[in-house]
Amino acid sequence: MLARQLEQFSCIRQARVQLAPQSWQSGAVIVLEPARPEAMPDAAALDRMLDTLALIPDAPDKRHVLVFDTEGRRLYPDHETDETARREQEVALERQALRVLRPLLDGNGRAEVLVSLDEAEKGRTTGRRTISVLLEENAVPETVRPHLESLLGQACALEEGRGDALRICFLPARRNAAALRGLALTFAVLALAGMAAFF
């Protein structure tokens, strides 16, 4: 709904929205692709455009929204805050983890990465990192699985002493649409055969 609202503006060709993790409450990260390179709205225009999000139920407050272009440059807000800097670092780590994962994926296997950074404690320059990775159960070869933690730990610079955590969850694989149709047809034939036998 957020993406569709933004795509109603003629200067926007496509908007992709990712809800932010719970550590960044009620926030969202938006990636905009302009209709034309010169049509990308500036921070002031984006501020006015984001006012329309208030029309959408449960939409995040624009104070908790980050907007990037497709090259990863931040468009909104145009000033630096601790919160936006932290989210930028989270986005950079998510992309780094995905760069490591994508060459390992089999076929159309899906992978999602979510990074959450805690606020830095006294005496530390960075906060604890929590990396959550969702993979389809057949997304990576069995021979690669034992090395995933090490590869992702290096990619995201995880440190055990800082209390960093890495969670890898495997989800059931999507079924092929043709296979599902074939399965449905088989059950339909069996049902008809059962009815014929009954009558």
Side-chain angles (χ1 to χ4, degrees):
M1 290 178 67
L2 297 179
R4 286 197 297 271
Q5 182 69 28
L6 291 169
E7 287 168 357
Q8 289 181 7
F9 292 94
S10 60
C11 59
I12 302 300
R13 173 179 296 164
Q14 184 182 33
R16 287 175 293 174
V17 177
Q18 178 184 351
L19 296 180
Q22 292 179 358
S23 63
W24 202 53
Q25 191 172 3
S26 301
V29 175
I30 299 171
V31 178
L32 293 181
E33 180 184 348
R36 302 178 310 281
E38 67 277 9
M40 181 66 85
D42 59 16
L46 284 170
D47 187 66
R48 294 190 296 272
M49 290 168 63
L50 293 175
D51 286 335
T52 64
L53 299 185
L55 304 174
I56 301 174
D58 301 322
D61 189 289
K62 69 179 182 180
R63 292 173 299 176
H64 304 300
V65 170
L66 289 177
V67 181
F68 296 87
D69 64 14
T70 54
E71 300 298 320
R73 291 184 290 267
R74 192 180 75 209
L75 305 173
Y76 180 89
D78 59 350
H79 58 277
E80 192 69 31
T81 67
D82 290 341
E83 194 169 75
T84 56
R86 184 169 71 249
R87 185 55 193 150
E88 279 189 330
Q89 190 178 1
E90 288 172 345
V91 170
L93 288 170
E94 288 167 3
R95 289 178 176 167
Q96 182 63 26
L98 285 171
R99 276 196 291 268
V100 171
L101 284 172
R102 284 192 183 113
L104 306 176
L105 298 179
D106 273 344
N108 295 321
R110 290 182 301 172
E112 297 289 342
V113 177
L114 190 63
V115 175
S116 177
L117 298 181
D118 295 342
E119 290 187 16
E121 297 177 3
K122 187 176 181 180
R124 293 181 179 176
T125 55
T126 57
R128 186 172 67 95
R129 300 177 177 185
T130 302
I131 315 294
S132 301
V133 180
L134 297 177
L135 292 167
E136 286 183 324
E137 58 188 0
N138 61 349
V140 295
E142 290 287 343
T143 55
V144 174
R145 288 192 185 189
H147 308 289
L148 280 178
E149 287 192 18
S150 175
L151 290 170
L152 290 169
Q154 292 176 14
C156 298
L158 299 186
E159 297 179 12
E160 186 176 345
R162 187 170 51 199
D164 295 348
L166 172 63
R167 303 187 184 99
I168 300 177
C169 298
F170 288 93
L171 303 175
R174 293 173 295 180
R175 292 185 178 273
N176 182 278
L180 283 176
R181 286 194 295 271
L183 191 61
L185 181 60
T186 301
F187 277 116
V189 170
L190 289 174
L192 286 173
M195 290 174 62
F198 176 78
F199 286 107

